[in-house]
Amino acid sequence: AVAEHGDLWLPFGRSPEVMRQKMAVLKDHCTAVGRNYDDIRKTFSLRVNLAKTKAEAEKLTGGKPKRPEDPSFVGEPAALIEYIHEFAELGI
């Protein structure tokens, strides 16, 4: 549906690895229906649990996300910047 009708794509939260796969599928669907993949704006929602150190963030939130596909971030500012860059490199 996104490939045929969408101008914006906001998928459920996923890790960068899963997002890479999902975006490849979207690109294939766009090709199949004759749509320019780059015409669809890709967006992302991210839950952030931030503290001065990763240990502090884990203590405040109870640790890392429970599911590997959960993209919630738990850590310090410098690591958050790196994490966001992973999604930006995907085109989000």
Side-chain angles (χ1 to χ4, degrees):
V2 173
E4 290 187 56
H5 307 289
D7 294 321
L8 176 80
W9 182 48
L10 175 62
F12 291 105
R14 303 281 186 224
S15 68
E17 296 79 21
V18 172
M19 285 299 298
R20 188 174 293 110
Q21 295 167 353
K22 298 283 185 184
M23 292 175 80
V25 169
L26 177 59
K27 193 171 195 173
D28 288 344
H29 286 299
C30 287
T31 300
V33 300
R35 175 86 185 272
N36 183 349
Y37 169 80
D38 293 325
D39 288 345
I40 299 170
R41 183 173 172 205
K42 289 81 172 174
T43 62
F44 190 69
S45 177
L46 176 63
R47 183 177 333 140
V48 175
N49 301 294
L50 191 64
K52 289 182 182 180
T53 68
K54 184 174 183 176
E56 286 179 58
E58 288 177 347
K59 184 178 178 183
L60 291 171
T61 61
K64 296 181 181 180
K66 306 287 186 258
R67 300 179 336 252
E69 69 274 10
D70 183 350
S72 296
F73 176 84
V74 178
E76 71 279 354
L80 175 60
I81 292 168
E82 289 179 29
Y83 191 69
I84 290 172
H85 279 278
E86 289 184 65
F87 290 100
E89 288 173 7
L90 292 174
I92 296 172

